[in-house]
Amino acid sequence: MADLNFEKARFNMVEQQVRPWEVLDQRVLDLMLKVPREDYVLPEHRALAFCDMELPLGHGQVMLPPRLAARMVQALRIQPEDSVLEVGTGSGYVTALLAALGGQVFSVEIVPELKALAEKLLGEHGVENVTLDEGDAVEGWPRRGTYDAIAMTGSVPVLPDGLKQGLNIGGRLFVVVGEAPVMEALLITRVADDEWLRESLFETVIPPLTNAPRPNGFEF
């Protein structure tokens, strides 16, 4: 596929998928046009880079559809001075979006091979304000402090308390909670030491994060 076709496909992705899905923040729309999504998919899937679908990354992981990535980034309202945590680096595409808006991004990936891939791709594109860690951050990542924004790139059946506690006052958490076929995208905002606001954004279904905590079973 020629470069010109990539540019046309990228434009169509924004105008036909992203913008109609209530993504109206011009900063986010500009980013979706700028960050080369085709470079963050597996080589055999480059022709599908702009399709409205999940794309496999190997190791049982997937890349989220463009419109969902855009809604996530828009909801977090990231500012240039923000410290951002991403749970689930994948190939680094969402990481690159977050890094373009925030001050410092800490991204945690549980699969070593994907961390290495993201490190390579982000390096090739000159994304420098990112620290990649290997580990399990599904219940929080306090080793890097607290955060102004937290992006969860997979779902959790129940919301771990550690993620909420990892927010600074005024911090925002984007997370998809529930189990298929019913999941809900939420924006959690910490407004005080012991107070969080919960906003329902939309319904969706995305794969769960590895080791996501399960709800307690019923006892009779």
Side-chain angles (χ1 to χ4, degrees), residues 185-207:
L186 302 174
L187 183 68
I188 309 293
T189 304
R190 189 171 195 171
V191 295
D193 284 344
D194 297 307
E195 186 178 356
W196 294 262
L197 294 179
R198 173 181 172 131
E199 178 185 355
S200 176
L201 300 176
F202 53 89
E203 292 183 353
T204 189
V205 175
I206 63 174

Side-chain angles (χ1 to χ4, degrees), residues 215-220:
N216 294 326
F218 292 106
E219 295 184 3
F220 296 94

Side-chain angles (χ1 to χ4, degrees), residues 119-142:
E119 198 164 41
K120 173 180 177 291
L121 295 176
L122 291 166
E124 288 175 353
H125 288 286
V127 181
E128 298 180 346
N129 58 325
V130 170
T131 299
L132 297 181
D133 288 323
E134 180 186 327
D136 184 355
V138 72
E139 298 196 50
W141 198 247

Side-chain angles (χ1 to χ4, degrees), residues 85 87 136-142 150-167 173-178 184 186 188 190 196 198 208-216:
L85 172 66
V87 181
D136 184 355
V138 72
E139 298 196 50
W141 198 247
I150 299 177
M152 305 282 286
T153 63
S155 64
V156 289
V158 294
L159 179 60
D161 190 62
L163 290 170
K164 294 164 55 180
Q165 296 294 342
L167 290 171
L173 161 66
F174 177 96
V175 59
V176 176
V177 178
E184 186 178 22
L186 302 174
I188 309 293
R190 189 171 195 171
W196 294 262
R198 173 181 172 131
L209 288 164
T210 303
N211 298 334
R214 312 291 303 179
N216 294 326

Side-chain angles (χ1 to χ4, degrees), residues 32-131:
M32 301 297 287
L33 287 169
K34 178 181 178 182
V35 176
R37 182 176 170 87
E38 69 275 14
D39 291 349
Y40 290 90
V41 304
L42 298 183
E44 60 266 32
H45 298 315
R46 280 174 68 85
L48 301 174
F50 307 103
C51 293
D52 184 19
M53 60 186 293
E54 295 172 355
L55 292 177
L57 292 172
H59 312 282
Q61 307 301 308
V62 301
M63 188 176 188
L64 295 175
R67 59 189 173 91
L68 206 153
R71 279 294 293 271
M72 176 192 302
V73 174
Q74 174 177 265
L76 288 170
R77 304 189 307 277
I78 295 168
Q79 302 303 309
E81 67 279 5
D82 280 353
S83 172
V84 182
L85 172 66
E86 179 188 30
V87 181
T89 312
S91 63
Y93 175 69
V94 172
T95 321
L97 298 176
L98 297 170
L101 296 175
Q104 182 68 34
V105 176
F106 301 95
S107 187
V108 187
E109 174 56 56
I110 200 169
V111 179
E113 293 86 352
L114 287 181
K115 174 183 176 287
L117 174 63
E119 198 164 41
K120 173 180 177 291
L121 295 176
L122 291 166
E124 288 175 353
H125 288 286
V127 181
E128 298 180 346
N129 58 325
V130 170
T131 299

Side-chain angles (χ1 to χ4, degrees), residues 12-41:
N12 289 341
M13 173 191 75
V14 170
E15 295 302 319
Q16 298 174 10
Q17 299 175 41
V18 176
R19 191 189 298 272
W21 219 50
E22 299 181 24
V23 178
L24 303 177
D25 185 330
Q26 193 59 48
R27 298 185 311 155
V28 177
L29 293 171
D30 289 345
L31 264 184
M32 301 297 287
L33 287 169
K34 178 181 178 182
V35 176
R37 182 176 170 87
E38 69 275 14
D39 291 349
Y40 290 90
V41 304

